[in-house]
Amino acid sequence: MKATLAQSFDGCIRIADGGTCPIRGIIPRSWYFENKEINIAMPGEQLTCVWQTAFAKGLHNNSTSGDIPKESIKELMLALANLESVHYSVRTFQEVFGSSDVISFKSFKRYVDTHLREKGYPLHLVLDEIERKCWELCQPYYKTTLNKEDTRKLWMISNRLVDENSYPSVICQREGNWFMEKMFTTIGKMWKCSEVFKTEGATFQDLLNIVEDTVLHETSQDKMQKSMTTLYASIVTEVMKSGWVYKRTRKQANWTNWVHRWCILTPNKIIYCKEEKATPKLSQTKGELLINKHTKLLGLNDYNGLIHKLKGRFIVSNEPVIDLEVAVGSAEEKVSWLSALEESIKCCREKTTPIQKLLNERRGLDVKNEHGKIQKDNKGPTTTTKMIISAKNGKHVHTGEDEDNKELSENIVHANMEKMKAVFMKMDKDGNGRIDIEEFAAFLQSIGLQMSKQEANMVYKSVDTDGNGYVSFEEFQLYFTKHVMDETSSAECVNAMRRAFMEADRDGSGTLSFREFTEYIWDKKRSIRMSQVMKVFSEATKSGSDEVSFTDFQQVIQNGASNLMMPIIEGDINEDETSDVFRDQLKQVYDDTEAKELASYIRGRWNKFASFRRAGATGTVVMTGGHGMVADILPGEYNLVDLACFSDLPPLVPKHTVIKGVKWVSSSIPGKSGKAIFPKDFDGKIVTDLATNELLRYYGCSFADTQQEKVSLLYRHGIQDFTYENGYLEKYVTTANGGAGIEKHDFSHLDCPLAANSGTFILGKFTDDDEIHITGFKIPVRHTLYIPGGTIHCNDYLSGTWRTMLSDETDIDHVHLTRALSNENGGKYEHFQFQFD
C-alpha cells in the first residue's frame, strides 16, 4: 500500500488527497512508501519558538537530527521559570529526561504539557507566554531593516511554518512558497521567485533576507505592514470569524444586560471588544470566553424583549462557570457562527489548529503530486460536526464526533454500559477509576496474552488517547465502541465479509446452507462450540429461509455475532496484528462478562460504607450506612446537575396547608374582585417554606435564573421594579383595596426580590379532591421566580423592592379572602388575611 501520513486523529489517517481511511490500533509516527520508511515532519507547532531561540542564541550548532542538548534546553528553562503560567522544577526536568544527552521536539512538547504547565492554565496560554518570552530572548540576534513589530509578527508566523524535526529550525520550500504566495497576494502582486527557498530550507534570518529582497522591492513599507498584519491575523491569531453581535453573559445566577460588541473567534477563545479595529492582543478587549473540548453550543429562538428584538441567537456554554448568549442578526449568520464554533471545538478535541491542519493537508497534497500513486479510500468514515446540547457522563454527544461513533454510543454503549463498566473494573485492580500501565500489563497476562513490554506499551498508548499516562473509563469506552464493537464500520471490513462469504459458499449458489456455514467456521476455528454456531445460524435465518444470504450474513455479524465471526473475518483484514489479538481477547472478555458482575463488584468496592456503623458512648448505634450504594462515580468531568439529579428519589413536596371546601367565585364585573369563600372554621394560618426549584414545581413554578427552559408568552409583557413600603398590607390591601386576596390570570409573572427581608410569596392550587393547597414561600434574594399563567398566587404580603414582569393585555381574576359566618345562602361573610406559621 502506497500512502503518505499527513496527520492522524481519533483512529483515522489523513491521506494525501485529504480523505481518511479507517485504521484500528496504533498509528505510527512514520508510514511506509515502497517498503522504505519516510519520517513525516509536521509544521504548525508553536513551541518551535524554543528551537528558534536556541539557534539564535548560538547555544549549539552541531545538531542535525532536530534534537537539542539537554543542557541547552535547561538553560532556556531557567529563563522561562519566572513566567506566571510556568512551573519549572529542576528535579522534575531531570526525572523526565533522565540520562539522555539530547531532547527531541516531541518529548519536549509532551514535557511542557504534562510537567511545565502551571496547574489551572490552559495549554494555549502557556504557549503564548513562552513564545513572548522567547521573542525577547532572541530578538537582539536578528539583522533586518524591517521595523521591530513587523519582525516580531514575521518571527511568530515562521514558528508556525518551520519543521518541528529540523535544526536549525527551517521552513521547507513548500511552506515558504505558500507563505510568499499569500504575502504577494495581499499586496496585489504575483509570486514568481519560487526558487529563492533552498532545498534544505530557510532559517528565520534567511526568511528576513528574502522578504527584504523581494517584497520591499515590489511595494511600499506601509503596504507591507498591512500585509503582515493580515497574515498575522490568519496564521498566528487564526481569526476564524469576526463581526458585530449583541451579547450578554451569565456568571453564577445572573445575566448581564445586552451590549453591542465586536466579537473575534479564534481556535481557543471568543474575544469581545468595543471597537472593530481592536485585535485579540490590544487593551480594547472587554472580555473573553475560552473554548475547550467540553464547550457546548445551543441554538435559541429569536429574542423579543422590551428594548431589543434579536435574531440569530445561540449560547456558548462552559457550564457551570459561564454562559455567553449571542445574537448575530440573521439565521444565515447564526449558521456561519455555529459552524466556525464547531470547528474551533473540534480543533480543541484534536489538539490542533486550523493552520496546522491546512499545512499538513498541503504537505500531503505535495507528496501526492511528487509520487502520484497514493491510494484513496472515499468510503472511509467521514466526520460530521454536531451541535452539543447536553452531555452526561457515559452519554456524550460530542462536537465533531464521527456519526458512526455517535450511533454506537446511543445504540450499543448505552444498552451495554454496565457490562462494559464491569470489564473496565476487571482491569482497574485498585478501583481508583483509572488503569495504569501496570494494571494493563496484569490484565494482559490474566487473559493469556504473552506480549513483550514494547508490544504492551504500543497497545496501551492506543487506548490512552490523551497520553496522560492512565486510561480513564471515557477513553476505554471510546476505544471499545470504536475499535472492538464497531468492527463493521469500514468498507475494508465489508469487503472482508464478502470474501469470507464467497469462501464459505462452496457450491456458488449465493447462499449458505447449514453445512456450508458450520464447515466454514470449523475449518477456521476448531475451538468454537457447536451450540454457538447453531445459535448464530438460527439468528441468521430468522426470516424463515433455510439458508443464509450475504445480507443475513452481514446483518447477524453487526447485530451480535461479532464474538464468533469477527476473529475469523479479521484474518483477511490487513491491520496491526498485535492490536488485533488484544481486541479479540478484550471482546471475548466482554462476551463472557455478565452485567451483574458490576453490581457485585460495586457491593464489594463500597462494602465498608454499606456496613458502616457508629456507636455512641453507651454502645447504641447512632449512624449507619445504607443498604446499597446509590451510584458508583468514576474519575472524570461531569455536569454538577448530572451528579445531583437522583432519579431514585421521589419528588419533593413543599410544606402546605390543606383547606377543604373552598369556593372560588369570580366577579362578573371587569375590574371588580370576586370572593374566595373559605370554611368558617379555617383560622387563616398557612405554613411557610424556603423556595427551591423542586418545591416550586409542586405548583408548576420554577426559578427562571437557574435553567434554560423555553416558555411561550402569549401577551406583551413589561418588567418594572416595584417597592412595597412598610404598612403596604395594613394601609392599602386591607383598607383601600377591600381586603387581602389571591389571584390568577393568563399572563405570566417574573418576580425577583432585590433585597433581603422581602416578605412572603403565596402560591396555591386546587386538587381533584375539592381542596386547595397553599404555601407561603420565602424567596432568596436575587432569585427570579417564574409563575406561568393560570397559577394561583398572591403578592399582598411582600416587602421591599421586587423586579416584576407583568402584562396589561388580559384581565386579572382577583378574589378577596372571606369566611362564611352562616349558611352560604344568607350571604354573610367576613374578610380575613393569612397568618404564617
Side-chain angles (χ1 to χ4, degrees):
M1 176 179 180
K2 299 178 181 180
T4 301
L5 174 62
Q7 190 168 11
S8 57
F9 301 108
D10 296 337
C12 285
I13 293 179
R14 303 284 177 190
I15 61 177
D17 57 3
T20 60
C21 62
I23 65 169
R24 295 187 286 273
I26 306 304
I27 301 174
R29 184 72 179 126
S30 57
W31 197 247
Y32 287 90
F33 182 80
E34 292 182 345
N35 299 321
K36 294 183 180 179
E37 187 175 346
I38 301 175
N39 290 321
I40 305 300
M42 299 298 179
E45 292 287 358
Q46 187 177 356
L47 269 178
T48 53
C49 63
V50 177
W51 263 231
Q52 296 258 45
T53 306
F55 182 68
K57 291 174 67 67
L59 294 179
H60 52 79
N61 295 293
N62 299 322
S63 176
T64 57
S65 63
D67 298 342
I68 295 183
K70 183 170 67 176
E71 292 305 313
S72 299
I73 292 291
K74 190 174 182 179
E75 182 179 330
L76 289 175
M77 288 300 97
L78 293 174
L80 301 175
N82 61 346
L83 296 177
E84 185 177 345
S85 62
V86 164
H87 178 72
Y88 174 65
S89 164
V90 177
R91 186 184 69 178
T92 302
F93 181 87
Q94 192 61 38
E95 288 176 352
V96 170
F97 297 110
S99 59
S100 175
D101 295 328
V102 295
I103 297 175
S104 68
F105 182 82
K106 185 177 180 180
S107 62
F108 177 72
K109 183 170 63 172
R110 191 183 308 114
Y111 162 73
V112 170
D113 187 18
T114 57
H115 299 288
L116 190 66
R117 174 164 51 130
E118 181 68 65
K119 195 172 184 180
Y121 280 82
L123 181 60
H124 70 268
L125 294 182
V126 181
L127 300 182
D128 286 346
E129 281 205 1
I130 290 175
E131 192 170 33
R132 282 194 292 271
K133 184 62 177 179
C134 284
W135 168 246
E136 294 176 11
L137 295 174
C138 65
Q139 182 266 333
Y141 297 96
Y142 299 125
K143 298 177 182 179
T144 180
T145 58
L146 300 180
N147 64 49
K148 184 177 178 180
E149 181 61 15
D150 283 345
T151 306
R152 182 187 70 85
K153 289 179 179 177
L154 185 60
W155 180 78
M156 293 182 74
I157 290 172
S158 74
N159 290 335
R160 277 76 179 168
L161 300 180
V162 299
D163 259 348
E164 66 175 52
N165 289 339
S166 64
Y167 191 84
S169 297
V170 295
I171 302 172
C172 295
Q173 280 183 325
R174 60 177 67 86
E175 281 79 36
N177 285 321
W178 172 80
F179 170 69
M180 296 304 294
E181 287 172 3
K182 292 182 69 69
M183 192 169 198
F184 268 68
T185 299
T186 58
I187 62 174
K189 303 286 183 178
M190 181 176 292
W191 172 246
K192 301 177 181 179
C193 308
S194 59
E195 301 301 321
V196 299
F197 286 91
K198 300 176 182 178
T199 305
E200 60 270 22
T203 65
F204 178 65
Q205 184 63 60
D206 294 333
L207 181 62
L208 282 172
N209 297 338
I210 291 170
V211 170
E212 290 177 0
D213 293 342
T214 58
V215 181
L216 289 181
H217 281 268
E218 296 285 344
T219 189
S220 65
Q221 184 84 27
D222 182 57
K223 282 189 176 181
M224 199 207 73
Q225 290 177 1
K226 291 180 180 178
S227 169
M228 197 68 70
T229 299
T230 301
L231 294 171
Y232 179 84
S234 65
I235 298 176
V236 177
T237 309
E238 296 192 70
V239 176
M240 303 172 66
K241 181 78 176 172
S242 61
W244 285 105
V245 306
Y246 279 94
K247 53 79 60 177
R248 62 177 181 173
T249 55
R250 177 174 68 175
K251 295 181 180 179
Q252 297 179 343
N254 299 307
W255 286 98
T256 63
N257 293 324
W258 286 103
V259 291
H260 203 215
R261 291 286 183 261
W262 178 258
C263 269
I264 303 170
L265 172 65
T266 71
N268 46 51
K269 58 187 170 183
I270 302 175
I271 306 115
Y272 30 100
C273 322
K274 270 193 171 182
E275 301 178 10
E276 182 175 345
K277 65 181 181 181
T279 70
K281 301 296 182 183
L282 297 182
S283 58
Q284 293 99 324
T285 58
K286 300 297 293 182
E288 62 183 33
L289 182 143
L290 298 180
I291 303 292
N292 59 57
K293 64 181 181 180
H294 302 297
T295 298
K296 299 175 179 62
L297 304 177
L298 175 63
L300 301 175
N301 294 330
D302 294 346
Y303 177 85
N304 294 311
L306 295 176
I307 300 175
H308 299 290
K309 310 292 183 184
L310 304 176
K311 296 183 178 181
R313 286 172 65 223
F314 58 88
I315 281 183
V316 187
S317 176
N318 285 338
E319 59 182 23
V321 180
I322 185 173
D323 291 333
L324 174 66
E325 186 173 342
V326 179
V328 294
S330 69
E332 293 77 11
E333 190 66 7
K334 173 182 175 180
V335 171
S336 178
W337 272 94
L338 287 176
S339 177
L341 281 161
E342 288 167 353
E343 178 64 21
S344 178
I345 297 170
K346 184 170 183 285
C347 285
C348 291
R349 288 179 53 77
E350 295 178 344
K351 298 183 179 179
T352 185
T353 69
I355 199 65
Q356 280 183 282
K357 294 170 71 174
L358 173 64
L359 291 171
N360 293 329
E361 286 171 6
R362 281 185 55 82
R363 170 158 295 199
L365 287 171
D366 287 342
V367 175
K368 178 183 177 181
N369 292 335
E370 179 181 348
H371 298 291
K373 293 183 179 180
I374 295 178
Q375 290 187 358
K376 181 177 180 181
D377 184 3
N378 285 331
K379 297 182 181 179
T382 57
T383 300
T384 305
T385 55
K386 294 292 177 184
M387 186 185 302
I388 297 180
I389 296 178
S390 64
K392 196 171 185 177
N393 190 60
K395 298 183 180 179
H396 299 286
V397 182
H398 290 306
T399 299
E401 195 67 74
D402 290 350
E403 189 64 22
D404 288 340
N405 289 347
K406 178 177 179 292
E407 291 176 4
L408 283 168
S409 181
E410 293 174 351
N411 300 332
I412 299 176
V413 177
H414 293 179
N416 298 285
M417 182 62 66
E418 288 193 351
K419 194 172 180 180
M420 192 182 301
K421 195 173 179 182
V423 176
F424 181 83
M425 294 303 182
K426 289 183 179 181
M427 305 173 74
D428 179 26
K429 291 299 184 184
D430 59 7
N432 66 352
R434 298 172 175 178
I435 302 170
D436 56 34
I437 186 63
E438 288 78 19
E439 290 174 322
F440 188 78
F443 174 76
L444 295 180
Q445 187 174 5
S446 70
I447 61 177
L449 282 181
Q450 301 299 323
M451 288 187 182
S452 66
K453 185 176 181 181
Q454 182 181 10
E455 289 174 326
N457 287 339
M458 186 172 63
V459 175
Y460 182 81
K461 289 176 182 177
S462 70
V463 188
D464 180 19
T465 52
D466 61 8
N468 63 359
Y470 62 83
V471 174
S472 65
F473 179 68
E474 184 178 9
E475 288 175 318
F476 177 79
Q477 178 189 348
L478 179 62
Y479 177 89
F480 196 93
T481 56
K482 188 172 186 178
H483 299 306
V484 179
M485 299 296 288
D486 187 18
E487 296 293 350
T488 59
S489 63
S490 71
E492 185 179 20
C493 190
V494 173
N495 290 335
M497 284 192 286
R498 189 172 287 112
R499 289 194 298 270
F501 183 87
M502 288 188 293
E503 183 180 346
D505 183 19
R506 296 177 179 177
D507 63 2
S509 64
T511 59
L512 302 181
S513 65
F514 177 75
R515 180 176 179 179
E516 288 174 325
F517 187 84
T518 54
E519 286 181 354
Y520 170 75
I521 295 176
W522 271 53
D523 286 345
K524 296 293 184 178
K525 193 171 183 180
R526 296 282 180 173
S527 60
I528 296 292
R529 293 193 300 270
M530 178 56 69
S531 59
Q532 290 181 277
V533 179
M534 293 180 67
K535 181 179 179 181
V536 174
F537 186 84
S538 176
E539 286 292 321
T541 56
K542 269 187 175 180
S543 61
S545 172
D546 294 332
E547 297 193 332
V548 178
S549 68
F550 175 71
T551 302
D552 297 331
F553 185 79
Q554 183 179 2
Q555 193 70 33
V556 76
I557 294 173
Q558 293 173 336
N559 289 347
S562 55
N563 63 320
L564 173 66
M565 300 299 298
M566 286 312 299
I568 298 172
I569 295 174
E570 279 184 335
D572 294 328
I573 300 178
N574 181 24
E575 56 180 355
D576 179 70
E577 184 178 353
T578 300
S579 296
D580 280 354
V581 175
F582 169 67
R583 283 193 301 275
D584 292 345
Q585 293 293 337
L586 184 58
K587 184 62 169 65
Q588 190 62 53
V589 172
Y590 174 84
D591 291 328
D592 293 340
T593 298
E594 297 291 339
K596 62 184 180 182
E597 289 184 34
L598 176 61
S600 176
Y601 172 87
I602 292 176
R603 283 196 299 271
R605 171 65 176 80
W606 301 108
N607 181 59
K608 60 182 179 182
F609 287 170
S611 58
F612 183 82
R613 297 288 186 276
R614 270 185 180 164
T618 62
T620 303
V621 175
V622 295
M623 182 179 176
T624 62
H627 64 279
M629 296 303 296
V630 173
D632 176 57
I633 308 297
L634 295 174
E637 295 185 359
Y638 299 85
N639 294 327
L640 288 177
V641 67
D642 294 334
L643 292 176
C645 286
F646 304 126
S647 58
D648 61 314
L649 298 178
L652 290 175
V653 176
K655 292 184 287 185
H656 59 275
T657 301
V658 178
I659 310 108
K660 292 184 177 293
V662 178
K663 295 184 178 181
W664 186 290
V665 183
S666 301
S667 172
S668 59
I669 303 173
K672 187 174 181 179
S673 299
K675 293 185 180 68
I677 306 173
F678 284 72
K680 61 181 179 180
D681 59 349
F682 175 56
D683 60 4
K685 294 181 180 180
I686 61 174
V687 297
T688 59
D689 210 342
L690 180 65
T692 68
N693 253 331
E694 278 287 324
L695 298 181
L696 290 171
R697 286 196 189 99
Y698 184 74
Y699 293 103
C701 303
S702 63
F703 279 128
D705 52 315
T706 61
Q707 56 189 6
Q708 283 296 327
E709 181 180 348
K710 293 181 180 179
V711 296
S712 297
L713 300 180
L714 302 179
Y715 307 96
R716 188 167 186 170
H717 288 67
I719 296 180
Q720 174 70 46
D721 289 345
F722 295 94
T723 300
Y724 301 84
E725 303 288 354
N726 291 334
Y728 171 76
L729 178 64
E730 295 78 16
K731 297 177 181 179
Y732 172 75
V733 173
T734 59
T735 55
N737 198 42
I742 51 179
E743 65 184 51
K744 57 184 178 179
H745 41 68
D746 291 338
F747 63 85
S748 300
H749 258 313
L750 289 181
D751 286 279
C752 176
L754 303 185
N757 301 319
S758 55
T760 304
F761 200 103
I762 292 176
L763 292 174
K765 69 176 182 179
F766 279 98
T767 71
D768 294 335
D769 299 324
D770 190 27
E771 61 186 25
I772 190 171
H773 295 185
I774 300 178
T775 303
F777 281 106
K778 297 295 183 181
I779 310 297
V781 64
R782 299 285 289 276
H783 280 56
T784 304
L785 179 63
Y786 169 67
I787 308 164
T791 303
I792 297 173
H793 63 284
C794 171
N795 56 8
D796 289 347
Y797 306 91
L798 303 184
S799 63
T801 300
W802 286 68
R803 178 159 292 178
T804 302
M805 181 184 79
L806 70 172
S807 178
D808 59 0
E809 294 187 0
T810 181
D811 293 332
I812 298 175
D813 187 2
H814 181 272
V815 292
H816 287 129
L817 302 178
T818 64
R819 275 189 298 243
L821 293 177
S822 60
N823 291 334
E824 183 179 337
N825 293 334
K828 296 182 179 179
Y829 310 99
E830 68 172 358
H831 289 272
F832 73 96
Q833 62 189 43
F834 290 134
Q835 306 294 324
F836 303 106
D837 286 342

